[in-house]
Amino acid sequence: MDFQLKTLTVAQAAAEKSDVLIVLAGSAPIVSKDPLSVLAASARKAGDLPDKAGKLLSLYRPEGVLAGRVVLAAIGDGKPASVRSGVAAAVNAAKAQPARRVTLVFAQPADGPAVAAAVIAAAEASYVYTTTKPKAEPRSIRQLTIGVADAGAVSQPFDEARATVRGIELAKEWGNRPANHATPTLLGEAAKELGKLPNIKCEVLGPKEVEKLGMGSFAAVAQGSAQPLRFIVLRYHGAPKSQAPVVLVGKGITFDTGGVSLKPAAEMDEMKFDMCGAASVLGTFRALGDIQPAINVVGLIPSCENMNDGRAVKPGDVVTSMSGQTIEVLNTDAEGRLILCDALTYAKRFEPAAVIDIATLTGACVIALGGVRSGLFSSDDTLAAALEAAGEASQDRCWRMPLDDDYAEGLKSNFADVANIAGRAGGAITAAKFLQRFASDFAWAHLDIAGTAWKSGAAKGSTGRPVGLLVSYLMGRVGSTGAEDGTQGAKAGAKTGAKTKVGKKAGKSAAAPAGKTRTEK
């Protein structure tokens, strides 16, 4: 979808050529005296347009408006969360009948975060997956113009939000693809496409290179599949090489049967989403390619299938990780941590400022937090605070969970340095404690996105999370010299937009034309 930003009053928006005009009305007084503003104020006073965000009033061909349809949408207090609710409801109403061009105007002053929220909400509400549905109707809204009182004042947050949308939709694309259309090899090809964007380089390693690196834990998970593993290394260089990079590590299990510890058949199809951590890394790099911020970022994606054949790893097997630590595999469905631990060890060579792994890791995290917030675990308080602030700023929220050493007791093994799973209690925490063993040399955080990476039921599909959180965090680091500045930077970026130069010529997208079985036990 093509987003445009213009300086428009409600009266000027009424003269714009569009199929639908959406007027966002907050609870603050509407002072303009043009006919449409007066109508919105009257509707609100009469109770026909309640202040609650998401409430709508639709009009057909009102006098003095060029658009055939008008949707008055309440955005309550005008804060990002309320704007998202109002815009989502209005865009859903607009697309009920085919609309190619939509104009969306704020009836009151809007700041950068509100405009960014409108961009992301409009994209989310209009998104359509079509790659393996050749007869599906594509996204009907092709152009959306956002009108504000002063476009120049919010142009940077707007541009960053537009880039974030491209990243989110790339993550959705690869998350939504069936596993036979998103193999480790194809994921590697998508990463290579990102390598064509400015300042991004890509390297894809295969089984021989992984074996040479000593990634025995990663290789063990892959050995039961006919699909060869891939280890993807993405590098974004936007700052001098002397600046330590942030390393993002995304779990890339392109399909997870559970291995010998087989998952229940019901909803196993959703295990194509087990690579959403990897998809979020791809999406974040897609956004970086447009924004071109002055930071360095590395993306690591260990990718394979967790399948069964005569060579598959078995419960009780002991494997040797890249770190040299041996691991007793008590449950083959706890495979994500087995591939991530080798990637975390590999991350050390970059002497990172911080390492963040992103994974659809545990069903226990779904029980704890549902689909609202991602689970956040971190060994570094400043890094954790920065990620929490970025989550709030982007409306892609997370919640910090504990990492007390007592939780690691269940990971003890009589036959290896560590077991890959503990008991049922605190399963999301014990999984994080396992990963922490391999992340002691740097500031580290783990995002468990098992509850937030996709939706089930009638709305089944990838959410693209946590691309928004990651982009917000990285933009907050622009200009900082180390992880100690992360929290302050994230807050400043949320308020004013990070000081970056968004690429005017966007690179080509790596996407194609544009009781749950929740991952590990």
Side-chain angles (χ1 to χ4, degrees), residues 47 68 126 199 203 226 260 268 276 281 306-307 312 367 390 411 415 422 436 445 494:
S126 61
N199 294 320
E203 182 181 14
V260 174
M268 194 194 286
C276 283
V281 174
N306 185 22
M307 299 287 285
I367 301 302
L411 295 171
F415 307 105
Q436 189 181 15

Side-chain angles (χ1 to χ4, degrees), residues 10-291:
V10 173
Q12 291 169 333
E16 287 283 303
K17 290 183 179 180
S18 56
D19 300 311
V20 180
L21 171 60
I22 297 171
V23 180
L24 301 180
S27 55
I30 299 174
V31 297
S32 298
K33 298 303 180 183
D34 62 278
L36 195 52
S37 294
V38 171
L39 179 60
S42 299
R44 194 170 63 186
K45 185 176 180 180
D48 293 321
L49 182 65
D51 281 344
K52 184 178 180 181
K55 293 295 184 180
L56 306 176
L57 180 62
S58 297
L59 312 172
Y60 180 70
R61 296 193 179 280
E63 187 175 351
V65 179
L66 201 57
R69 290 181 287 149
V70 175
V71 178
L72 305 180
I75 55 171
D77 56 16
K79 293 180 179 179
S82 299
V83 171
R84 289 191 74 162
S85 296
V87 171
V91 171
N92 278 320
K95 71 178 187 180
Q97 295 179 359
R100 294 177 62 86
R101 293 186 297 179
V102 174
T103 299
L104 183 152
V105 64
F106 285 85
Q108 296 113 330
D111 59 12
V115 171
V119 171
I120 291 172
E124 182 176 343
S126 61
Y127 172 82
V128 178
Y129 171 78
T130 61
T131 301
T132 52
K133 295 182 66 178
K135 295 183 180 180
E137 290 292 330
R139 170 184 261 148
S140 60
I141 299 175
R142 302 298 175 86
Q143 179 181 306
L144 190 140
T145 300
I146 295 183
V148 293
D150 183 358
V154 296
S155 62
Q156 191 164 313
F158 169 81
D159 285 339
E160 290 180 5
R162 186 169 54 178
T164 300
V165 163
R166 293 192 184 105
I168 289 171
E169 295 196 350
L170 179 61
K172 285 183 176 181
E173 167 68 25
W174 285 96
N176 284 331
R177 286 188 176 200
N180 60 327
H181 290 262
T183 63
T185 299
L186 291 174
L187 212 60
E189 293 302 315
K192 289 178 182 178
E193 285 295 309
L194 291 174
K196 297 177 182 179
L197 298 175
N199 294 320
I200 294 179
K201 295 182 178 180
C202 177
E203 182 181 14
V204 179
L205 308 181
K208 291 182 179 179
E209 292 91 343
V210 164
E211 182 181 2
K212 187 175 181 179
L213 287 166
M215 293 183 170
S217 185
F218 175 25
V221 176
Q223 69 191 35
S225 173
Q227 293 288 342
L229 63 77
R230 292 290 184 263
F231 188 74
I232 299 165
V233 182
L234 286 161
R235 294 179 177 88
Y236 170 78
H237 290 289
K241 291 183 179 180
S242 59
Q243 184 182 111
V246 173
V247 178
L248 306 178
V249 181
K251 175 185 171 184
I253 298 291
T254 57
F255 194 80
D256 181 17
T257 66
V260 174
S261 306
L262 191 67
K263 289 180 179 291
E267 298 176 330
M268 194 194 286
D269 66 288
E270 295 188 5
M271 288 301 95
K272 71 176 186 177
F273 295 118
D274 210 13
M275 44 69 68
C276 283
S280 73
V281 174
L282 294 178
T284 300
F285 271 77
R286 180 66 184 84
L288 292 174
D290 278 0
I291 300 172

